Amino acid sequence: MKTVRRMGRSAVGDKTMKAKTALLCAAAAALFAAAPAQAQTATQWQAPRAGDWIVTGRLTQVAPTADDPILTSAGGATGLNVDVSDDLMPTLGFTYFFTDHVAVEAILGTTRHEVRAQGGATDVAVHETWVLPPVVTVQYRPLTEGNFSPYVGAGVNGMLFYGGDDKNGFTVDLDDGLGWALQAGADIGLHGPWSLNLDVKKVWFNTDAAVNGGALKSDVKLNPWVISIGVGRKF
C-alpha cells in the first residue's frame, strides 16, 4: 500500500468532527433550555397511548468506532488500521404505540462516511460511501402520565452501502448486512401535540472490507453511536 505522509488532514478531520459535535450539543442545549418554560404550558400534551403515532424530525450524528487492522490476503499484518469518519445529518423517526407501554420505532436517514487507512506515517483516504442505516426497535415506556415519556428499546439495524467513491487508486468493496441495536431516550411534552426528543442508540455491526480485489482485507466493526435530538408531533 502506498504510503502518504500526513499533511494536516487528521487535524482538519478532528476540527470537522468537533464542529459537528459542537453543533449537536448547541442544538441540544437550546432545545432543552427551553423545556422547563414550555413544560409549564404543556397541559394539552399527554403521554402517548395505544394507537398513537409520533413522527419526529431529528438532527442525528452517526459516530462509528472502527479501529480494525488491515491484513494481507494471507492474514499477515500491514501495520495499518481502518478509520471511518462521523457524519451529521437530518433523520426521521416514526413511532407507533401498540399499547400504552409498548411501541415500535423505525428511523430513516442516510449518512456519508470516509474510510481511511492509518498507521505509522500513513494516513490515506481509500473510499467514501453513503450508508442507509434503517433501525427498527421495540420500545418500553414505563410512564403513561405527565409530560415526560422516557423509553428503552432494542431491535435490528441494516447497513446498505451505496454511491461508493474509491480514492487514491484503491478499490474497496463493503458487504451489506444486519446488526443489533439498543436504544434509550425520552419525549418531553411541549404545547399541544408537540414534544422534544432526545435519543441515543448503540449499534453493533461488522462488515467485510476487500481492498484492491482482496489483496488487502479487514473485518470492520463499525459499531456506531447514533445520537439524535429533534422535535416530534403526536397523531
Side-chain angles (χ1 to χ4, degrees):
M1 179 176 286
K2 182 180 178 181
T3 297
V4 178
R5 294 196 174 273
R6 301 185 182 187
M7 299 290 291
R9 182 64 179 266
S10 295
V12 172
D14 289 344
K15 288 180 180 178
T16 301
M17 183 177 68
K18 289 178 181 178
K20 289 180 176 180
T21 302
L23 177 61
L24 194 64
C25 292
L31 284 174
F32 286 92
Q38 291 288 350
Q40 295 177 6
T41 62
T43 55
Q44 295 182 41
W45 193 89
Q46 296 180 352
R49 299 297 183 93
D52 286 346
W53 284 87
I54 297 179
V55 178
T56 307
R58 294 173 171 139
L59 187 64
T60 297
Q61 180 163 342
V62 178
T65 59
D67 186 26
D68 302 283
I70 299 173
L71 307 175
T72 67
S73 58
T78 65
L80 300 175
N81 283 31
V82 175
D83 179 77
V84 182
S85 66
D86 298 354
D87 198 16
L88 184 68
M89 296 289 277
T91 59
L92 278 176
F94 301 88
T95 307
Y96 177 73
F97 287 77
F98 288 105
T99 73
D100 292 353
H101 295 284
V102 178
V104 62
E105 183 200 50
I107 64 166
L108 298 177
T110 187
T111 53
R112 186 173 177 84
H113 302 272
E114 182 182 69
V115 182
R116 303 183 69 83
Q118 296 181 338
T122 299
D123 183 3
V124 58
V126 299
H127 192 67
E128 285 187 356
T129 184
W130 286 92
V131 184
L132 185 67
V135 182
V136 178
T137 54
V138 176
Q139 300 176 349
Y140 174 71
R141 299 200 177 215
L143 304 182
T144 59
E145 301 293 339
N147 71 320
F148 180 66
S149 181
Y151 55 84
V152 293
V156 294
N157 160 257
M159 288 286 186
L160 306 174
F161 301 97
Y162 71 97
D165 185 14
D166 292 324
K167 299 289 185 180
N168 294 310
F170 295 93
T171 61
V172 178
D173 292 315
L174 301 171
D175 288 345
D176 300 337
L178 295 175
W180 304 98
L182 292 178
Q183 174 187 35
D187 290 301
I188 302 172
L190 297 176
H191 186 71
W194 300 97
S195 57
L196 300 179
N197 176 260
L198 174 64
D199 185 88
V200 178
K201 297 180 180 72
K202 177 63 177 179
V203 174
W204 286 269
F205 176 80
N206 290 20
T207 183
D208 290 328
V211 181
N212 294 346
L216 299 173
K217 62 183 180 179
S218 183
D219 178 18
V220 184
K221 301 175 182 65
L222 291 174
N223 297 350
W225 287 97
V226 182
I227 303 170
S228 303
I229 58 171
V231 176
R233 191 186 192 284
K234 187 173 64 173
F235 295 91

